[in-house]
Amino acid sequence: MKKLRKKVYMTAGYNTISLGTGRREFHPKKPRPGIEHYIKEAGQGTLKQIGGAKNVDEGAIGNFMAPRFNRQGNLPGFIPMIDEELQWKPCTSTEGACGSGALALMSGIKSVLAETADVILTVGVEVQNTMKAIYGADVLAGAGWYQKRKNGHAYFFPGQFSDRAGAYYEKYGMEYTRKGFRRWFRNAIENARLCPTAQEYENKVKDLDALYDKMKPNGKAFVDNLSVLDCSKVSDAASAIAIVSEEGLKRIGIPKEEAVEILGWAQVERNITNDPSDLTELTTIKKAAKEAIESANITIHDLATIETHDCFSIAGILATEAFGFAEPGKGAQFVADGNTDRDGIIPMNTTGGLIGWGHPTGGTGVHQAVTIWEQLTGKAGKAQIEIPEDRPYGMTVNMGGDDVTVVAIIYKRG
Amino acid sequence: MNYEERLQNVTVLGAAGKMGSGILLLTAVEMADISLKPENQTKTYVLNAMDVSHEGLAGLLKYLKVQVLKIAEKKTVLLRKIYADRTDLIENKDIIDQYVFDVINIIRPVTKLEATYDSNLIFEAVSENKDLKVKLLSQIDSNNPNNPWYFTNTSSVPINVVEKEAGLEGRILGFHFYNPPAIQKLVELIVTDKTKKEVVEFAKTYAKNLRKIIVPSNDFAGFIGNGHFMRDSLHAITETEALAKDMPFVEAVYMVNKVAQEYLVRPMGIFQLIDYVGIDVVQFIMKVMNPFVTDEELHSSLLDKMIELGVKGGQKSDGSQKDGFMKYEKGQPVAIFDPDEKEYIPISEFKDKCDKKLGPLPDSKISWKSIIRRPDKEVLLKDFFKTMKTMQTFGAELAVKYGKRSNEIGKKLVADNVANNENDVNTVMLTGFFHAYGPVNTFFD
């Protein structure tokens, strides 16, 4: 990748709570806030830190399926609702399934590079508890090719990743693999317990390993190779972050140390009408991570932390291999040995990731950026990990569909 | 006629009632699943929902729509396979909606008995009135050329009496669901000396397909379930009446109810259970059973008095609890009826006084809800009751006496040959009444 023509930063991140099963506030039968509530709360959360809406040049919003979950399209129209000073400013929405959030980030980054804006308010949102999971599965299936829906599983995406898990079991052994999954799950919950906005923040299960071992996959009720503990949460949440130029930082009065600099990225797309060539590899993620690392001119071992798209435990395991931390088939061992723990070689998903913090599908990409910003600038509260002086880097990997729309971004403490 | 052929034309009598609607739901789902097999797709399946009440039938269809939807949502993984060839059904929602339609499409709501004359199988769930049952079944049988089989849901009338009086020799058995049939796992199966083997075989297959647990009961009025429940209720009523000599009636009801629920670790108190079943139903079942028992009197003048005052309990059509011995708010008792004053007295007025008189529980952490799903509940209960037996409190004494009486009732059901063994008695109470332990135990020795 060419050298960036100017510096791009992110700062002033904000997360709403991730609402859904697990949160005390969540009652499936009681009315809940609508999508506009989340957009507003997250947007205002960021605006407060950057001196208000008058400092914003543009808005970008990432969302996957509001037209079906909430009967709502035309989401750019909600940005001026956040603050009246945003009225008449240019706004864009992005959609790439669960990768929508990172596409919104990319939209903001490109606006800075195009020199059309110095401060972009970026929001990611999804409100998906509006329907039961069995119907939500229909909506989320839109992240795959519609022509595959008929022969797909009732729980379409869990079905897709169950097939990936099954292929991995077959190649490397089920018991071995599930030890890796179990550690991934335990880390997700333990990390979420340190983050007050996380969906599993209040999870009080004492022996998570025992719980995991008890919940065996049951193909009659769910999918063949995964249990619900292997799956991300169904979530209502939004996140927001400001994407700014150096001039923008001055305008909003935030010092560089409180921002992260974008060193590089990769945006990689796979043909959605094709099946993955190898079920035991996340090929698109592999390409994206490699390109992003190269564009930032660092190595994968320079990273202090990664937020990766663990929509399912198998996606977490496969990601460790795609990033190059483990050989094919060794990812389960790498995770089971504690290398991705919060004090491991490469801490991943330090506020719980999609399984522990939550997965507001179209909002997740922005949430990942907020977490990396918090960690690299020392704002992660109880979830704060140690960032070594010589490795002030982080990476987010956001995925839409089954390894289809992938964005990897490299961040450095500003 | 094999299993599937017999289920091609079925009738549920009293389909709009509490029991009838549940039986109809389960049967409709079973029939629909058969009709959806590839080899059966050209056949027509008919399930008559027969009831005299148009209003009831309208409510029934609403109930069915909600319940079948729930069932469909739970088994969508399987339904996607069943409808794999239907290229027009893509999403889960398409498939679920189709299944709900296919189940409901089997049902014919009818009010005239003529509709039943083509059926091969008749479920009888009309009110507990022997003469009505006999009249309906004999009329159907004399007009129906198929020699249909009759499954009666009676909870009290001896089957051989209906068999004989309606002239149904060998073609009837007792198939007694528990309330609500869609949820409770237990079915009491009662045969007569004459019931044909193939009828029993069919009943067993049907129960298995509905995932029910069968407990055989011998053909004595009340069978096992009500055999225990009626006598258990009478014990509570007798105790209450005795206590009421020294204290206000409402306080006596409160205490005995609390002893049954909290001290005996049951899902609800005994007066709440009587209200749930219906005071009128309990009175009626005793009335049906009483002529068949020789060594005791199954009758309560207190129940008669409540009925006379129009206090009946039972449930509203939306499933919520009607007021009976107790008044309910959001399903919880909040006041108790005083038959002399003819009004409900709030429990809050005497709760503290009564709780103090009863004394503390052996272990406040043990409740029905906290232990019912625990694998070690037997051990926990043993300790709980062991401590209780050493306590000199009013509550503990009432509870131990009550526990012993329940034990006696259970054993007598075996001695009287109503149940084949003690295990069957316990299974009925565990699965039909959701008790945490069977009445035949050593806890209170």
Side-chain angles (χ1 to χ4, degrees):
Chain A
M1 185 182 276
K2 284 186 198 165
K3 191 172 177 299
L4 301 184
R5 62 173 70 182
K6 63 190 297 181
K7 290 195 172 192
V8 185
Y9 296 88
M10 289 191 200
T11 189
Y14 184 92
N15 297 318
T16 68
I17 62 160
S18 179
L19 188 70
T21 54
R23 289 296 299 199
R24 198 181 302 181
E25 304 91 330
F26 181 70
H27 301 283
K29 287 181 181 163
K30 289 193 181 162
R32 285 179 295 279
I35 191 168
E36 62 280 5
H37 164 89
Y38 289 93
I39 296 170
K40 196 167 191 170
E41 183 191 330
Q44 290 184 343
T46 291
L47 290 181
K48 263 186 207 144
Q49 303 173 57
I50 62 169
K54 64 177 191 299
N55 286 333
V56 173
D57 299 319
E58 260 186 47
I61 184 164
N63 172 265
F64 175 23
M65 274 290 187
R68 291 196 66 186
F69 281 127
N70 318 101
R71 298 189 179 88
Q72 181 63 58
N74 206 0
L75 294 188
F78 287 92
I79 289 182
M81 174 206 67
I82 297 169
D83 189 299
E84 59 185 17
E85 286 197 72
L86 295 172
Q87 184 88 310
W88 318 126
K89 291 187 178 176
C91 297
T92 308
S93 76
T94 55
E95 192 275 307
C98 305
S100 303
L103 294 184
L105 298 176
M106 289 313 305
S107 163
I109 291 170
K110 287 173 181 174
S111 283
V112 171
L113 293 174
E115 302 184 359
T116 58
D118 288 305
V119 178
I120 298 98
L121 173 64
T122 313
V123 180
V125 67
E126 203 78 54
V127 170
Q128 52 190 140
N129 281 297
T130 50
M131 51 183 75
K132 290 184 181 176
I134 191 72
Y135 303 112
D138 284 335
V139 175
L140 298 174
W145 186 26
Y146 77 98
Q147 296 238 21
K148 302 265 180 182
R149 178 63 184 123
K150 176 64 187 168
N151 294 325
H153 197 277
Y155 294 94
F156 185 81
F157 263 90
Q160 299 288 102
F161 281 84
S162 166
D163 291 350
R164 282 189 177 272
Y168 200 97
Y169 294 163
E170 198 163 304
K171 238 174 172 173
Y172 307 115
M174 180 166 175
E175 203 183 326
Y176 156 75
T177 308
R178 289 191 68 78
K179 278 185 189 153
F181 289 180
R182 183 175 70 189
R183 185 61 162 257
W184 190 272
F185 163 74
R186 193 176 98 189
N187 285 348
I189 303 302
E190 287 179 351
N191 287 338
R193 286 170 177 165
L194 302 171
C195 177
T197 53
Q199 207 163 322
E200 293 288 356
Y201 177 59
E202 293 172 276
N203 184 313
K204 294 199 173 59
V205 176
K206 279 194 189 117
D207 192 342
L208 291 164
D209 286 350
L211 173 72
Y212 188 87
D213 289 342
K214 212 172 111 187
M215 297 276 281
K216 303 241 185 297
N218 173 6
K220 278 188 182 160
F222 190 48
V223 295
D224 290 338
N225 302 310
L226 300 172
S227 84
V228 291
L229 302 183
D230 293 302
C231 302
S232 50
K233 314 287 296 179
V234 176
S235 311
D236 298 350
S239 296
I241 200 162
I243 300 175
V244 290
S245 63
E246 273 188 290
E247 296 83 346
L249 274 183
K250 281 181 200 144
R251 187 198 295 169
I252 63 178
I254 289 183
K256 281 184 185 172
E257 307 80 70
E258 291 192 16
V260 285
E261 184 187 344
I262 305 306
L263 288 191
W265 69 83
Q267 209 179 327
V268 184
E269 202 69 39
R270 182 176 77 77
N271 178 348
I272 195 172
T273 64
N274 290 342
D275 288 331
S277 52
D278 179 355
L279 287 177
T280 60
E281 183 187 275
L282 292 171
T283 313
T284 317
I285 285 187
K286 189 175 174 181
K287 280 182 189 299
K290 186 166 177 282
E291 282 179 26
I293 289 287
E294 283 172 7
S295 77
N297 202 21
I298 59 169
T299 75
I300 195 85
H301 303 290
D302 292 325
L303 295 169
T305 179
I306 298 174
E307 286 295 302
T308 191
H309 195 98
D310 61 334
C311 44
F312 301 94
S313 55
I314 179 70
I317 302 297
L318 293 178
T320 62
E321 297 174 12
F323 299 153
F325 289 110
E327 297 289 310
K330 298 279 168 58
Q333 189 70 52
F334 183 77
V335 172
D337 288 345
N339 293 309
T340 60
D341 292 10
R342 55 189 304 101
D343 58 354
I345 291 172
I346 177 68
M348 292 193 191
N349 296 5
T350 55
T351 58
L354 285 62
I355 293 173
W357 190 85
H359 185 25
T361 44
T364 288
V366 180
H367 172 255
Q368 292 178 322
V370 173
T371 302
I372 292 290
W373 167 72
E374 286 172 342
Q375 290 291 8
L376 295 185
T377 57
K379 292 177 185 296
K382 283 189 178 164
Q384 184 67 49
I385 55 163
E386 197 194 328
I387 305 292
E389 278 301 317
D390 59 336
R391 293 196 285 136
Y393 307 103
M395 175 168 77
T396 56
V397 177
N398 188 202
M399 169 173 72
D402 185 358
D403 201 30
V404 172
T405 299
V406 177
V407 176
I409 301 176
I410 310 294
Y411 309 74
K412 177 178 177 285
R413 187 159 51 204
Chain B
M1 195 181 284
N2 65 24
Y3 179 81
E4 292 186 0
E5 286 162 350
R6 183 150 305 271
L7 282 172
Q8 252 187 281
N9 194 314
V10 180
T11 291
V12 175
L13 299 175
K18 180 95 188 162
M19 300 302 287
S21 56
I23 296 168
L24 189 85
L25 168 69
L26 297 171
T27 309
V29 168
E30 169 70 354
M31 287 170 69
D33 288 351
I34 292 170
S35 77
L36 288 168
K37 289 184 182 175
E39 65 268 29
N40 294 333
Q41 300 217 337
T42 56
K43 296 174 195 158
T44 305
Y45 288 77
V46 172
L47 175 58
N48 296 308
M50 159 90 209
D51 204 282
V52 288
S53 161
H54 277 296
E55 195 191 354
L57 288 172
L60 172 68
L61 287 175
K62 277 187 209 155
Y63 164 81
L64 288 170
K65 193 179 167 215
V66 173
Q67 296 301 319
V68 178
L69 182 65
K70 275 190 194 165
I71 291 170
E73 286 169 348
K74 271 191 200 149
K75 63 177 189 185
T76 312
V77 174
L78 174 68
L79 293 179
R80 284 194 79 91
K81 289 183 185 135
I82 290 175
Y83 291 108
D85 294 338
R86 286 283 300 269
T87 51
D88 58 324
L89 305 176
I90 311 286
E91 298 206 322
N92 293 336
K93 176 138 195 353
D94 304 334
I95 282 161
I96 288 165
D97 288 348
Q98 182 65 45
Y99 184 71
V100 172
F101 176 79
D102 285 342
V103 174
I104 306 264
N105 195 30
I106 286 173
I107 297 166
R108 311 277 183 276
V110 293
T111 54
K112 300 280 185 286
L113 206 58
E114 284 79 357
T116 70
Y117 296 167
D118 297 324
S119 288
N120 306 317
L121 178 65
I122 316 279
F123 283 94
E124 177 279 301
V126 301
S127 60
E128 280 297 83
N129 177 333
K130 187 205 73 182
D131 293 339
L132 175 67
K133 289 174 195 285
V134 167
K135 184 181 151 232
L136 289 173
L137 299 195
S138 60
Q139 190 181 330
I140 294 170
D141 210 53
S142 54
N143 289 287
N144 183 320
N146 303 339
N147 276 326
W149 295 352
Y150 298 88
F151 284 16
T152 169
N153 187 56
T154 181
S155 60
S156 52
V157 185
I159 313 302
N160 67 78
V161 175
V162 182
E163 178 181 54
K164 195 173 160 209
E165 292 186 20
L168 309 173
E169 198 165 307
R171 288 180 289 119
I172 183 169
L173 53 71
F175 201 84
H176 179 216
F177 287 90
Y178 274 69
N179 187 7
I183 293 169
Q184 299 280 26
K185 288 273 166 231
L186 176 70
V187 167
E188 276 179 300
L189 185 70
I190 307 109
V191 301
T192 72
D193 296 344
K194 301 194 177 102
T195 310
K196 288 179 183 161
K197 219 172 86 187
E198 56 265 35
V199 186
V200 180
E201 283 311 307
F202 175 91
K204 286 183 176 165
T205 309
Y206 171 79
K208 194 174 143 225
N209 290 354
L210 267 52
R211 294 191 195 84
K212 297 294 178 196
I213 298 165
I214 281 190
V215 172
S217 167
N218 293 320
D219 195 13
F220 295 95
F223 317 117
I224 300 171
N226 280 333
H228 186 279
F229 174 39
M230 293 303 133
R231 292 171 175 96
D232 192 75
S233 301
L234 281 174
H235 170 78
I237 290 167
T238 311
E239 287 286 281
T240 304
E241 287 170 333
L243 291 181
K245 284 176 187 154
D246 303 320
M247 66 175 79
F249 175 79
V250 291
E251 293 180 17
V253 170
Y254 172 81
M255 288 207 251
V256 172
N257 192 66
K258 180 171 166 140
V259 163
Q261 180 167 10
E262 294 180 22
Y263 289 72
L264 294 185
V265 200
R266 291 181 177 183
M268 59 173 86
I270 186 67
F271 286 103
Q272 193 181 353
L273 179 61
I274 294 172
D275 285 348
Y276 177 77
V277 172
I279 300 173
D280 52 345
V281 176
V282 173
Q283 183 202 37
F284 202 90
I285 294 171
M286 286 186 188
K287 208 162 120 191
V288 173
M289 286 171 67
N290 206 29
F292 297 97
V293 294
T294 48
D295 54 351
E296 59 195 317
E297 179 70 9
L298 297 183
H299 170 255
S300 158
S301 49
L302 176 60
L303 296 184
D304 297 346
K305 192 173 173 187
M306 297 293 275
I307 301 291
E308 271 168 36
L309 293 169
V311 179
K312 290 187 190 167
Q315 277 129 56
K316 295 177 196 154
S317 59
D318 65 357
S320 63
Q321 180 66 47
K322 287 188 204 165
D323 297 339
F325 276 100
M326 297 190 277
K327 187 180 173 72
Y328 299 86
E329 274 172 21
K330 290 179 186 165
Q332 293 304 312
V334 292
I336 296 175
F337 190 71
D338 182 334
D340 294 330
E341 298 296 326
K342 302 185 181 55
E343 63 176 7
Y344 285 93
I345 314 291
I347 290 174
S348 57
E349 284 181 15
F350 49 82
K351 182 179 188 299
D352 290 349
K353 187 173 89 181
C354 293
D355 289 349
K356 206 173 158 198
K357 188 167 169 67
L358 288 171
L361 281 165
D363 180 349
S364 60
K365 285 194 284 297
I366 300 284
S367 69
W368 179 82
K369 207 175 169 185
S370 74
I371 62 153
I372 186 69
R373 303 210 184 279
R374 287 185 62 160
D376 57 348
K377 65 180 178 190
E378 230 19 62
V379 185
L380 294 169
L381 286 166
K382 202 173 172 186
D383 286 347
F384 182 82
F385 291 125
K386 196 175 163 191
T387 312
M388 186 187 285
K389 280 186 287 186
T390 64
M391 292 168 71
Q392 305 293 315
T393 61
F394 194 56
E397 280 169 13
L398 280 175
V400 171
K401 191 174 168 201
Y402 201 150
K404 280 184 177 163
R405 175 61 188 146
S406 170
N407 191 324
E408 238 173 61
I409 296 168
K411 284 182 174 159
K412 187 159 189 294
L413 287 167
V414 180
D416 288 349
N417 199 28
V418 177
N420 292 335
N421 53 58
E422 292 173 351
N423 198 28
D424 283 353
V425 177
N426 285 347
T427 305
V428 167
M429 298 314 290
L430 291 166
T431 57
F433 289 79
F434 259 129
H435 281 193
Y437 57 94
V440 186
N441 56 59
T442 55
F443 296 146
F444 304 97
D445 293 352

